[in-house]
Amino acid sequence: MMNISDALMSDVWKRVGAKRSEQILAMQKRHQKEQKTLTKFAYKHLLELPEDAAGVGIYAFHVILEAFFALRPLPKAVRRPAIDHAWKLPAEVLAEKVHAVEPYAAQYLADALMDEEEVVLAESERALCSQVVQTAILSLHGACGNCR
């Protein structure tokens, strides 16, 4: 079952891109409150990257969270075992699973990491951002239950 449609994903990334910095900060705080464990996990790994690469990864992470937050009912809080399970998957398996369950979120992530005009990510930076955000997508999908 897919949750995030092409139209929803497109709408969300455009809306987030149009937000002012204080609106982005408020959105991030809301995400940290609603998905504390997942946000803590993502920041831990993404902040290991150089500042520009971390910024791209964190931005993509929050766009994905915002897309899941547009679903009803809202996804339940992601628990650490779900994160750990996804994180331990080989990169190719994780990517396949994410594409199978949330293809539009997966496509957004791929585009966001490849099409960034101001920041050119090294392959290792792109791989870590991808793995972290794919882990988030798979974990959120599992926490969705009957979201639509």
Side-chain angles (χ1 to χ4, degrees):
M1 167 175 66
M2 288 182 284
N3 292 315
I4 297 174
S5 68
D6 185 30
L8 174 62
M9 194 70 244
S10 180
D11 178 60
V12 167
W13 77 257
K14 288 175 186 173
R15 275 191 290 120
V16 172
K19 289 181 185 267
R20 296 184 315 274
S21 58
E22 63 272 6
Q23 293 172 311
I24 295 279
L25 184 57
M27 179 188 70
Q28 289 172 326
K29 286 182 179 182
R30 180 172 44 89
H31 293 168
Q32 289 170 343
K33 181 180 177 188
E34 297 291 326
Q35 288 290 344
K36 184 178 182 176
T37 303
L38 186 61
T39 303
K40 196 172 173 182
F41 160 82
Y43 276 49
K44 174 187 175 212
H45 293 287
L46 293 172
L47 291 175
E48 294 174 359
L49 295 169
E51 185 177 349
D52 286 347
V56 171
I58 289 169
Y59 183 81
F61 171 75
H62 283 289
V63 169
I64 293 293
L65 268 176
E66 194 66 8
F68 275 97
F69 277 32
L71 300 173
R72 294 295 178 263
L74 289 172
K76 296 175 180 154
V78 173
R79 300 196 184 276
R80 190 66 205 207
I83 297 167
D84 291 342
H85 173 75
W87 183 245
K88 290 176 184 173
L89 293 171
E92 309 81 41
V93 173
L94 178 61
E96 288 173 10
K97 284 182 177 265
V98 168
H99 192 270
V101 298
E102 294 291 353
Y104 301 112
Q107 187 60 53
Y108 162 76
L109 176 61
D111 293 345
L113 297 180
M114 293 300 287
D115 294 341
E116 181 56 45
E117 295 171 7
E118 296 175 21
V119 179
V120 177
L121 298 176
E123 187 54 40
S124 61
E125 295 167 344
R126 187 179 353 275
L128 181 60
C129 287
S130 185
Q131 185 180 11
V132 169
V133 180
Q134 287 174 346
T135 295
I137 293 169
L138 194 58
S139 300
L140 285 161
H141 178 82
C144 241
N146 60 355
C147 297
R148 297 227 191 314

